[in-house]
Protein backbone atom coordinates (compact mmCIF):
# COMPACT_ATOMS: atom_id res chain seq x y z
CA UNK A 1 0.00 0.00 0.00
CA UNK A 2 1.43 3.39 -0.94
CA UNK A 3 1.82 6.06 1.72
CA UNK A 4 -0.62 8.21 -0.27
CA UNK A 5 -3.27 5.48 0.10
CA UNK A 6 -2.58 5.30 3.83
CA UNK A 7 -2.94 9.08 4.05
CA UNK A 8 -6.35 8.88 2.38
CA UNK A 9 -7.52 5.80 4.31
CA UNK A 10 -6.65 7.24 7.72
CA UNK A 11 -7.58 10.85 6.89
CA UNK A 12 -4.01 11.92 7.61
CA UNK A 13 -2.41 15.30 7.45
CA UNK A 14 1.04 15.00 5.87
CA UNK A 15 3.32 16.95 8.17
CA UNK A 16 6.66 16.10 6.60
CA UNK A 17 8.03 14.01 3.75
CA UNK A 18 5.23 14.57 1.27
CA UNK A 19 7.66 13.81 -1.55
CA UNK A 20 7.77 10.14 -0.41
CA UNK A 21 4.03 9.40 -0.65
CA UNK A 22 4.56 7.08 -3.63
CA UNK A 23 6.58 4.65 -1.52
CA UNK A 24 5.04 1.26 -0.86
CA UNK A 25 4.59 0.00 2.71
CA UNK A 26 3.67 -3.64 3.33
CA UNK A 27 3.81 -3.78 7.13
CA UNK A 28 3.10 -1.59 10.13
CA UNK A 29 4.09 -1.69 13.79
CA UNK A 30 2.12 0.06 16.52
CA UNK A 31 3.61 1.02 19.88
CA UNK A 32 4.18 3.91 22.25
CA UNK A 33 7.18 2.30 23.88
CA UNK A 34 10.16 3.01 21.67
CA UNK A 35 12.06 0.15 23.33
CA UNK A 36 9.40 -2.18 21.90
CA UNK A 37 9.86 -0.63 18.46
CA UNK A 38 13.61 -1.20 18.61
CA UNK A 39 13.22 -4.74 19.93
CA UNK A 40 10.35 -6.02 17.82
CA UNK A 41 9.73 -4.00 14.64
CA UNK A 42 10.90 -5.07 11.21
CA UNK A 43 12.84 -2.65 9.00
CA UNK A 44 10.71 -0.74 6.48
CA UNK A 45 7.51 -1.08 8.54
CA UNK A 46 5.36 2.00 9.14
CA UNK A 47 5.31 3.13 12.79
CA UNK A 48 1.90 3.92 14.30
CA UNK A 49 2.34 5.74 17.61
CA UNK A 50 0.96 8.31 20.00
CA UNK A 51 4.42 9.33 21.17
CA UNK A 52 5.21 12.60 19.41
CA UNK A 53 8.53 13.36 21.10
CA UNK A 54 11.89 13.42 19.41
CA UNK A 55 12.61 9.84 20.46
CA UNK A 56 9.99 8.62 17.97
CA UNK A 57 12.02 9.99 15.06
CA UNK A 58 15.33 8.76 16.47
CA UNK A 59 13.81 5.32 16.97
CA UNK A 60 12.24 5.18 13.51
CA UNK A 61 15.57 6.18 12.00
CA UNK A 62 17.60 3.60 13.93
CA UNK A 63 15.03 0.87 13.24
CA UNK A 64 15.02 1.81 9.53
CA UNK A 65 11.25 2.33 9.45
CA UNK A 66 9.36 3.69 6.44
CA UNK A 67 7.69 6.57 8.28
CA UNK A 68 5.59 7.59 11.26
CA UNK A 69 1.84 8.05 11.66
CA UNK A 70 0.91 9.89 14.85
CA UNK A 71 -2.55 9.03 16.20
CA UNK A 72 -5.12 11.22 18.01
CA UNK A 73 -4.29 14.25 15.81
CA UNK A 74 -0.95 14.57 17.57
CA UNK A 75 1.40 17.01 15.95
CA UNK A 76 5.04 16.86 17.00
CA UNK A 77 7.01 19.95 18.00
CA UNK A 78 9.15 21.73 15.42
CA UNK A 79 12.42 20.14 16.56
CA UNK A 80 10.89 16.73 15.89
CA UNK A 81 9.82 17.79 12.40
CA UNK A 82 13.24 19.27 11.71
CA UNK A 83 14.89 15.96 12.62
CA UNK A 84 12.39 14.02 10.51
CA UNK A 85 13.17 16.23 7.50
CA UNK A 86 16.90 15.81 8.12
CA UNK A 87 16.44 12.02 8.20
CA UNK A 88 14.08 12.12 5.18
CA UNK A 89 11.36 10.41 7.21
CA UNK A 90 7.69 10.87 6.25
CA UNK A 91 5.51 12.07 9.16
CA UNK A 92 1.73 11.94 9.08
CA UNK A 93 -0.98 12.61 11.67
CA UNK A 94 -4.37 10.91 11.79
CA UNK A 95 -7.43 11.82 13.86
CA UNK A 96 -7.97 8.09 14.50
CA UNK A 97 -7.06 6.29 17.70
CA UNK A 98 -4.32 3.68 17.49
CA UNK A 99 -6.69 0.69 17.45
CA UNK A 100 -8.87 2.18 14.73
CA UNK A 101 -5.87 3.13 12.59
CA UNK A 102 -4.40 -0.37 12.88
CA UNK A 103 -7.77 -2.01 12.18
CA UNK A 104 -8.23 0.09 9.04
CA UNK A 105 -4.76 -0.76 7.79
CA UNK A 106 -5.20 -4.47 8.54
CA UNK A 107 -8.56 -4.50 6.75
CA UNK A 108 -6.78 -3.21 3.64
CA UNK A 109 -4.16 -5.94 3.81
CA UNK A 110 -1.28 -4.31 5.65
CA UNK A 111 0.46 -6.91 7.79
CA UNK A 112 1.87 -6.50 11.27
CA UNK A 113 5.56 -5.64 11.19
CA UNK A 114 6.70 -7.57 14.27
CA UNK A 115 9.73 -9.81 14.30
CA UNK A 116 8.71 -13.35 15.15
Amino acid sequence: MRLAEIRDLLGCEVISGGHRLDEVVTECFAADLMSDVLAFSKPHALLITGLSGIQSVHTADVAELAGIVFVHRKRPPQQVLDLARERNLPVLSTPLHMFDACAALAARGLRGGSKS
Side-chain angles (χ1 to χ4, degrees):
M1 179 182 291
R2 294 190 188 285
L3 281 174
E5 295 173 280
I6 292 170
R7 173 201 60 201
D8 296 343
L9 177 66
L10 303 181
C12 291
E13 172 189 0
V14 178
I15 301 173
S16 176
H19 63 286
R20 294 187 57 192
L21 293 179
D22 283 337
E23 292 192 22
V24 175
V25 175
T26 59
E27 299 174 318
C28 67
F29 186 88
D32 285 339
L33 289 174
M34 295 299 109
S35 58
D36 282 355
V37 176
L38 290 171
F40 304 116
S41 69
K42 291 180 182 175
H44 312 295
L46 179 66
L47 176 61
I48 312 296
T49 187
L51 183 67
S52 60
I54 200 154
Q55 60 270 50
S56 60
V57 173
H58 282 301
T59 301
D61 184 46
V62 169
E64 300 178 14
L65 300 180
I68 303 172
V69 175
F70 292 111
V71 295
H72 308 282
R73 295 188 195 278
K74 290 189 177 175
R75 189 175 176 89
Q78 189 59 48
Q79 69 177 22
V80 175
L81 297 176
D82 291 344
L83 182 61
R85 285 187 189 101
E86 181 182 309
R87 304 291 164 87
N88 196 27
L89 193 66
V91 175
L92 298 87
S93 178
T94 178
L96 300 177
H97 297 275
M98 186 180 291
F99 176 83
D100 295 327
C102 292
L105 292 170
R108 293 286 299 270
L110 212 64
R111 299 181 311 254
S114 298
K115 296 175 187 171
S116 41

